[in-house]
């Protein structure tokens, strides 16, 4: 059976169970041949070709590999299929009925000779953990995209946070796989020599290869902290990337000066007395300058080093933030490809814990312990006053739960509230209602951003990639009047039936949020409609 089964987190067992179940139920020898590689699309076909006999797997290929073609063989006795089928009582009963037996035709030939060797014994299928799937699947996808694109490597704006560091670690995983594959694959060796423009090059060290392929840059502003700068530099040193540090405050100031020259007005941050509209624009201009600088460096870094070609710009926006819209349109989330665009923040943290030990990257421990922050607001005495969770008005765990309910379970506001009221028993229903309403307002306001999402590897069904995996409209009325009224009515019935007050004081409070003030994403006409960029 030839197949085109592609990688999804937690999916490998599905294909294997189907193959084993088919031969277990009816008996027989099953030859499963699956595609491998990305073929220029968003999915990675992950191999796992195998041979199954009577419900047991005898041989299999690797799930993740840079080698295009892999062949496995097994020696089987086809008489075992007949014996297995005859052992099934249902088949014995059918064969005892008044039916003529199949005629046997004996011919002077065999499918093998007597020196074929012993029969192949069954194996136990070893499944990868989700962290390993994140480590190897997107890495294989990046390799396929890189060699097909004809470019000379990758460029990544490295902020020192979980998301950009996850993209960096996936590239480093790819470099490790390339070094291992070059030991036995002439095809991979020829590809890497073409990419680095050196016909005699043979990679022996992943860090050295990373220095040739991977360029990282910390783009600081006056709002950046020394901690994130240090973490980005330490990670780049540990993986071996070609790292640079620049300050883009001058470019940001130049753009604001142009606006002030035309209008005679200069926007301010909210901590300096500015309105929410001014504060949001001040943050977005920093993020968008980073995107412009990233493409400038990607086009010219190899030219500056005397090498042909350019670099692919990598994005680092996770699936949770994309679905909620917690990103700036045309900022560093805009790139050529995004290796983590289909992966949740929760899974990325688990991956970094795995990568810390597998690749000996101790700085990842500090990155995981640090609060997630965009660093677009002024610092207070050198300390952060902005965190992602405070900006979003919800924790990443809550966002992941609501995002999956919206995308995978296709829940609207009312059905999500009913579901989460049961799932979050330690949170007062009034708080659940407020969180659901806040999520859907943000979802509707920012849905238009999904039309320009950077192509990302498809890692699971939880993906808002517009017009590909999520065909919902991209312009919503954010009031959700009918749905929110239904939530309020249901909440009133719950309050009456259970005998507790409408306030949250009678229930265990939800986990405390960071002290930073949430960024206000409001339209200029209240809750009637609008978008946030």
């Amino acid at each position: 059976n030839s197949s085109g089964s592609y990688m999804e987190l937690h999916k490998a067992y599905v294909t294997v169970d189907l193959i084993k179940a088919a031969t277990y139920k009816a008996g027989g020898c099953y030859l499963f041949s699956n595609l491998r590689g990305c073929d220029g699309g968003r999915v990675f076909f992950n191999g796992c070709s195998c041979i199954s006999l009577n419900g047991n797997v005898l041989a299999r290929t690797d799930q993740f590999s840079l080698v295009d073609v892999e062949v496995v063989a097994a020696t089987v006795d086809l008489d075992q299929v007949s014996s297995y089928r005859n052992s099934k009582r249902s088949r014995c009963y059918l064969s005892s009925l008044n039916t003529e037996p199949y005629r046997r035709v004996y011919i002077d030939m065999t499918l093998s000779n007597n020196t074929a060797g012993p029969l192949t014994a069954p194996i136990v299928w070893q499944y990868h953990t989700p962290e390993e799937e994140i480590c190897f699947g997107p890495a294989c996808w990046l390799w396929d995209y890189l060699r097909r694109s004809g470019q000379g490597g990758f460029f990544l704006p490295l902020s020192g946070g979980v998301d950009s560091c996850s993209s960096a670690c996936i590239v480093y995983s790819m470099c490790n796989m390339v070094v291992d594959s070059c030991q036995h694959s002439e095809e991979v060796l020829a590809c890497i020599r073409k990419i680095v423009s050196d016909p005699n090059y043979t990679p022996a060290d992943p860090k050295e290869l990373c220095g040739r392929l991977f360029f990282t840059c910390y783009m600081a502003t006056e709002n950046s902290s020394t901690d994130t700068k240090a973490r980005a530099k330490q990670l780049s040193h540990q993986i071996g990337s070609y790292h640079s540090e620049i300050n883009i405050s001058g470019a940001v100031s130049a753009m604001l000066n142009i606006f002030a020259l035309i209008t005679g007005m200069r926007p301010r941050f909210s901590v300096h007395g500015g309105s929410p509209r001014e504060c949001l624009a001040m943050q977005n201009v920093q993020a968008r300058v980073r995107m412009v600088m990233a493409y400038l460096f990607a086009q010219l870094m190899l030219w500056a080093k005397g090498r042909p070609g350019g670099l692919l710009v990598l994005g680092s926006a996770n699936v949770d933030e994309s679905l909620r819209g917690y990103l700036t349109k045309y900022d560093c989330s805009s790139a050529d490809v995004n290796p983590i665009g289909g992966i949740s923040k929760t899974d990325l943290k688990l991956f970094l814990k795995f990568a810390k030990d597998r690749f000996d990257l101790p700085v990842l421990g500090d990155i995981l312990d640090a609060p997630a922050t965009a660093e677009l607001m002024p610092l207070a005495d050198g300390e952060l006053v902005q965190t992602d969770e405070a900006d979003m008005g919800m924790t990443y765990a809550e966002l992941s739960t609501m995002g999956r309910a919206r995308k995978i379970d296709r829940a609207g506001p009312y059905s999500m509230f009913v579901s989460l009221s049961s799932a979050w028993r330690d949170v007062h229903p009034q708080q659940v209602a407020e969180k659901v309403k806040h999520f859907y307002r943000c979802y509707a306001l920012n849905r238009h951003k999904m039309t320009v999402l950077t192509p990302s590897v498809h890692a699971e069904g939880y993906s808002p990639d517009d017009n590909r995996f999520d065909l919902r409209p991209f312009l919503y009325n954010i009031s959700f009047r009918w749905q929110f009224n239904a939530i309020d009515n249901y909440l009133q019935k719950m309050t009456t039936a259970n005998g507790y007050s409408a306030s949250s004081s009678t229930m265990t409070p939800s986990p405390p949020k960071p002290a930073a003030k949430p960024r206000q994403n409001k339209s200029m006409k209240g809750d009637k409609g609008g978008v946030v960029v």
Side-chain angles (χ1 to χ4, degrees), residues 5 17 108 110 134 146 181 189 223 241 269 441 505:
S5 177
D17 286 354
D108 187 18
T110 60
I134 295 172
L146 177 62
S181 299
L189 182 59
N223 303 319
S241 67
F269 288 105
R441 290 191 188 99
S505 59

Side-chain angles (χ1 to χ4, degrees), residues 360-468:
D360 190 22
L361 305 174
V363 70
L364 293 181
D366 297 332
I367 293 170
L368 287 168
D369 293 336
T373 174
E375 289 195 333
L376 299 173
M377 295 280 285
L379 303 175
D381 298 326
E383 299 295 330
L384 292 173
V385 296
Q386 179 188 32
T387 63
D388 291 351
E389 292 186 340
D391 264 2
M392 295 189 298
M394 62 189 75
T395 66
Y396 275 107
E398 293 169 344
L399 175 58
S400 181
T401 300
M402 289 188 282
R404 290 177 184 274
R406 173 57 178 164
K407 180 61 182 72
I408 297 179
D409 299 336
R410 298 171 177 81
Y414 175 73
S415 56
M416 182 186 293
F417 168 71
V418 174
S419 174
L420 294 183
S421 295
S422 300
W424 292 349
R425 294 186 178 274
D426 60 340
V427 182
H428 192 281
Q430 180 67 42
Q431 290 180 308
V432 177
E434 292 171 356
K435 291 178 184 293
V436 170
K437 291 178 182 179
H438 177 63
F439 170 82
Y440 271 93
R441 290 191 188 99
C442 297
Y443 172 85
L445 278 170
N446 296 286
R447 177 69 181 138
H448 65 99
K449 297 177 183 177
M450 301 305 100
T451 62
V452 295
L453 277 185
T454 297
S456 60
V457 59
H458 178 72
E460 53 182 317
Y462 175 28
S463 172
D465 201 351
D466 188 74
N467 290 326
R468 297 172 185 92

Side-chain angles (χ1 to χ4, degrees), residues 151 153-159 164 214-220 242 244-248 251 285-302 309-316 330-337 454:
Q151 298 302 302
F154 299 108
F155 182 89
L156 174 69
L158 187 61
S159 68
S164 63
F214 193 30
F215 295 74
T216 56
C217 181
Y218 183 82
M219 301 183 184
Y242 186 92
S244 55
E245 297 173 349
I246 62 174
N247 193 307
I248 62 172
V285 69
Q286 299 171 71
R288 288 176 175 135
V289 167
R290 287 190 174 115
M291 185 272 289
V292 175
M293 295 301 297
Y295 272 95
L296 175 63
F297 274 69
Q299 284 186 296
L300 297 179
M301 282 300 290
L302 292 185
L311 302 172
L312 294 169
V313 179
L314 294 183
S316 54
Y330 301 116
D331 68 345
C332 282
S333 63
S334 297
D336 293 317
V337 288
T454 297

Side-chain angles (χ1 to χ4, degrees), residues 474-488:
F474 57 86
L475 183 61
Y476 279 90
N477 186 328
I478 70 169
S479 63
F480 289 102
R481 187 172 304 163
W482 186 92
Q483 295 92 332
F484 288 0
N485 285 338
I487 291 177
D488 293 337

Side-chain angles (χ1 to χ4, degrees), residues 80-93:
Q80 290 183 354
V81 176
S82 301
S83 299
Y84 184 86
R85 290 176 174 174
N86 289 333
S87 68
K88 298 296 183 180
R89 293 184 59 85
S90 60
R91 292 184 176 275
C92 293
Y93 174 74

Side-chain angles (χ1 to χ4, degrees), residues 134-197:
I134 295 172
C135 182
F136 303 127
C140 292
W141 183 77
L142 283 180
W143 167 253
D144 238 17
Y145 198 98
L146 177 62
R147 68 190 182 99
R148 288 171 182 270
S149 68
Q151 298 302 302
F154 299 108
F155 182 89
L156 174 69
L158 187 61
S159 68
V162 168
D163 293 334
S164 63
C165 291
S166 295
S167 294
C169 289
I170 289 173
V171 175
Y172 186 58
S173 173
M174 184 202 78
C175 291
N176 278 267
M177 298 181 73
V178 170
V179 171
D180 292 340
S181 299
C182 285
Q183 307 304 316
H184 56 81
S185 173
E186 291 293 331
E187 178 187 14
V188 176
L189 182 59
C191 286
I192 196 61
R193 286 175 172 174
K194 180 180 179 181
I195 291 171
V196 301
S197 304

Side-chain angles (χ1 to χ4, degrees), residues 350-362:
L350 294 175
F351 160 64
L352 288 186
K353 290 181 181 179
F354 166 80
K356 174 178 176 291
D357 297 328
R358 182 175 181 88
F359 300 125
D360 190 22
L361 305 174

